[in-house]
Amino acid sequence: MTSLVLLLDPLPADTTPTHVELESTMRFVAANEPILTALDAGAGRGDGIFETLGAHDGQVRGVDAHLQRLAASAEKLDLPAPHSDQWRSAIVRVMAELPSDGQASIRLTITRGTDAAGPTCWVTGTAITAEFPERTAGVRVVTLSRGYANDVGESSPWLLVGAKTLSYAINMAALREAKRRGADDVVFTSTDGFALEGPTSSLLVRKGNTISTPAIQFGILAGTTQADLFGFLEGEGFTCDYRKIKVEELHQADAIWLVSSVRLAIPVTEVDGQTISTDLGLTGRMNAALLS
C-alpha cells in the first residue's frame, strides 16, 4: 500500500517557532522520491532511531509516550534532541491526509544523516486495510537468547538496549528463525535466564490476578502499548507490576500476550512447543480498550 511521506527539516529542541515557522519545516514528498543519499548513516550503518504509532478512526494513540521515547532514544545515540512540537505537528499533518476511519500506522524516523547535512527526518503514514487474525487466533512463540545478561543496559550502555534503533537486522533474523522452528514469533531471553521482550513487541505474563512485564531497567524497551494496557487492566481489577520474569515462568503462566502499537494485544498459544492457556474474553476487552 502507498504511504504518505512527510520530510522534516529538524528544528533545535530549545527553539520556540511560530505555527507558520513549524509548517515551513515540513513538506510532503512522493513515496518513491529519494530522500537519503548513499552516504546517509541510516542507510549505510542503520544509525538512527524510529517510533511506530497506531491510529484508529483518526485518533493516534500514545503520542506523548512515543515522543518521550523518541527523545530518550536520541539521547542514547547522541543524536540532537527532537523538537516535540515539530514532530507533533508532523503527525497531525500526516493524519489529516489519511482516511478518517479504520486503522493506520504512523512512523517517525531520524537518521544521523551525513556530516555535511546533519540528520535526516521524516514521517510516514499508512492506512491499514489488512485484518489481524492473530488477535484472536494467537501466535506460537519460541524463546531465543539475545546473547547477553539482563543487566546489560546498566553494565554496557553502548549496546543501546532500551533504544528503538534502525538496527533491526537481529530482530528480523530472530523472526526468521522462529519460522524455521515452526513458530510465529519470539520472546528474547537473557543469558542469565530471564524473559525480555519480543522483536517488535512487549511481553505481558499473567499468573492468577497479577499481570507482569519485564522491568525496563533490565534492557527492555519501554512499552507504550503495555503502559496503556496496565491502566486498563488495573481498572479491571488486576494487579500489574514490573519485575524480572524467569524463563520458566512462561511455561507456568495462566496467559501470555505480546503487545505493540499496530498489532495491539496478541495472545500467545504456545511457548517452545508447550501449549499455553489463553483468555480470549480478556484479550478482546484489551484490544477494544486500545481501539476506543
Side-chain angles (χ1 to χ4, degrees), residues 76 144-157 159-162 188-197 213-221 242-247 249:
K76 285 178 180 290
L144 297 178
S145 174
R146 190 174 265 173
Y148 46 66
N150 74 314
D151 65 349
V152 68
E154 297 175 336
S155 62
S156 306
L159 293 180
L160 301 179
V161 295
F188 281 126
T189 62
S190 66
T191 54
D192 48 349
F194 296 96
L196 299 174
E197 59 192 343
T213 196
I216 60 174
Q217 65 263 37
F218 301 115
I220 305 299
L221 183 70
Y242 298 81
R243 64 179 179 85
K244 293 181 181 179
I245 299 175
K246 294 182 178 179
V247 174
E249 291 184 61

Side-chain angles (χ1 to χ4, degrees), residues 203-206 250 253-258 266-268 271 276-277:
L203 174 69
L204 301 185
V205 179
R206 176 182 176 183
L250 301 180
D254 293 328
I256 299 173
W257 295 269
L258 296 178
I266 305 299
V268 172
V271 176
I276 302 297
S277 61

Side-chain angles (χ1 to χ4, degrees), residues 115-241:
D115 291 340
T120 308
C121 306
W122 70 94
V123 177
T124 58
T126 306
I128 298 173
T129 57
E131 298 296 327
F132 293 92
E134 60 267 41
R135 290 178 185 169
T136 52
V139 292
R140 299 163 297 170
V141 306
V142 292
T143 55
L144 297 178
S145 174
R146 190 174 265 173
Y148 46 66
N150 74 314
D151 65 349
V152 68
E154 297 175 336
S155 62
S156 306
W158 53 88
L159 293 180
L160 301 179
V161 295
K164 198 169 180 68
T165 73
L166 296 176
S167 307
Y168 255 48
I170 291 174
N171 300 52
M172 298 301 101
L175 289 172
R176 292 193 296 273
E177 179 63 22
K179 301 295 184 185
R180 282 191 284 268
R181 299 188 185 196
D184 309 298
D185 215 313
V186 172
V187 172
F188 281 126
T189 62
S190 66
T191 54
D192 48 349
F194 296 96
L196 299 174
E197 59 192 343
T200 62
S201 56
S202 301
L203 174 69
L204 301 185
V205 179
R206 176 182 176 183
K207 190 66 176 178
N209 201 49
T210 299
I211 296 181
S212 305
T213 196
I216 60 174
Q217 65 263 37
F218 301 115
I220 305 299
L221 183 70
T224 58
T225 305
Q226 165 267 310
D228 288 341
L229 282 174
F230 268 20
F232 164 76
L233 290 166
E234 288 170 347
E236 288 272 301
F238 290 95
T239 298
C240 299
D241 62 16

Side-chain angles (χ1 to χ4, degrees), residues 18-34:
T18 65
H19 176 73
V20 172
E21 289 170 334
L22 274 180
E23 293 296 306
S24 69
T25 65
M26 54 190 79
R27 63 182 177 91
F28 282 103
V29 297
N32 60 354
E33 179 178 331

